[in-house]
């Protein structure tokens, strides 16, 4: 179940707000300029869909977002617990960083934890199946796929070169809860 937990950026042990209600999550995030919405496939994906099947099932939603925001490309990324590089890939994005373009992710299956550092607060968004999140360019954040990752996500880009992580050097991410 999707969830939003908000902490102050000085107290990681006590949340100031929490909800699993998708509409309440959307309202809180939209107020901060972060897009959060739910997408439905227009067809059955089957048990183990390939990238083309995934894209085709959500092309209607991708096209709507591209028409609105002008994004240029998209792809599908799957991560599983048996990936021999899972620890290195996990640790790569556990530190606070920004991007020069929006970071747009749609979770086809599984989950991941986006943590945004905004206006003196930390917003931890547990994204799960059917969740789309768009973290605006320049927003300090980190991402946790968990120690046993399992997700398939559509990634949507302005351009792939802009998706380079610019690390802030702040160790704030170390203080906040992570996925198991």
């Amino acid at each position: 179940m999707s969830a939003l937990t908000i902490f102050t950026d000085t107290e990681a042990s006590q949340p100031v707000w929490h909800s699993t209600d998708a509409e309440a999550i959307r309202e809180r995030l939209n107020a901060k300029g972060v897009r959060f919405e739910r997408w439905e496939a227009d067809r059955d994906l089957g048990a183990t869909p390939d990238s083309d099947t995934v894209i085709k099932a959500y092309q209607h939603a991708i096209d709507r977002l591209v028409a609105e925001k002008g994004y240029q490309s998209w792809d599908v990324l799957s991560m599983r617990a048996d990936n021999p590089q899972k620890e290195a890939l996990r640790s790569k994005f556990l530190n606070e960083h920004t991007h020069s373009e929006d970071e747009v992710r749609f979770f086809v299956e599984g989950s991941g934890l986006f943590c945004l550092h905004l206006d003196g607060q930390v917003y931890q968004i547990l994204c799960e199946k059917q969740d789309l999140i768009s973290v605006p360019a320049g927003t300090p954040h980190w991402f946790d796929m968990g120690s046993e990752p399992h997700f398939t996500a559509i990634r949507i880009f302005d351009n792939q070169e802009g998706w380079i992580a610019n690390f802030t050097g702040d160790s704030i991410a170390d203080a906040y809860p992570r996925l198991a």
Side-chain angles (χ1 to χ4, degrees):
M1 178 178 297
S2 309
L4 171 58
T5 305
I6 303 173
F7 300 87
T8 68
D9 65 2
T10 57
E11 179 54 60
S13 65
Q14 185 62 41
V16 295
W17 191 85
H18 175 82
S19 181
T20 57
D21 178 81
E23 183 59 23
I25 294 169
R26 187 192 65 75
E27 288 175 8
R28 287 280 177 138
L29 293 176
N30 284 191
K32 293 295 183 181
V34 178
R35 184 182 208 125
F36 180 84
E37 56 191 44
R38 310 292 315 274
W39 285 3
E40 296 281 338
D42 69 358
R43 66 194 74 193
D44 184 275
L45 293 175
T48 56
D50 62 18
S51 294
D52 287 340
T53 301
V54 168
I55 293 295
K56 287 177 185 172
Y58 293 100
Q59 192 68 60
H60 64 286
I62 295 168
D63 289 345
R64 179 179 49 82
L65 191 59
V66 166
E68 178 187 335
K69 301 292 284 182
Y71 297 123
Q72 301 294 310
S73 63
W74 47 92
D75 66 12
V76 176
L77 172 71
S78 290
M79 179 61 67
R80 298 294 183 263
D82 64 355
N83 186 313
Q85 297 179 17
K86 70 180 181 184
E87 290 176 30
L89 292 169
R90 181 186 190 196
S91 66
K92 183 176 181 180
F93 296 108
L94 279 178
N95 293 312
E96 185 180 72
H97 61 279
T98 64
H99 300 289
S100 62
E101 70 171 78
D102 297 347
E103 183 168 351
V104 184
R105 300 291 179 269
F106 172 71
F107 285 80
V108 175
E109 65 172 348
S111 62
L113 183 68
F114 277 89
C115 304
L116 316 180
H117 188 188
L118 298 166
D119 303 324
Q121 295 184 308
V122 171
Y123 290 68
Q124 287 198 320
I125 307 103
L126 178 62
C127 293
E128 297 197 324
K129 182 179 179 177
Q130 299 181 319
D131 289 344
L132 173 112
I133 187 168
S134 179
V135 178
T139 301
H141 69 284
W142 59 95
F143 175 73
D144 187 1
M145 67 177 79
S147 60
E148 297 296 315
H150 180 92
F151 67 87
T152 298
I154 298 173
R155 305 183 303 173
I156 302 172
F157 304 97
D158 286 329
N159 65 70
Q160 299 226 5
E161 293 77 34
W163 194 71
I164 296 168
N166 301 303
F167 293 94
T168 67
D170 191 327
S171 62
I172 187 169
D174 295 336
Y176 288 84
R178 294 199 169 145
L179 287 179

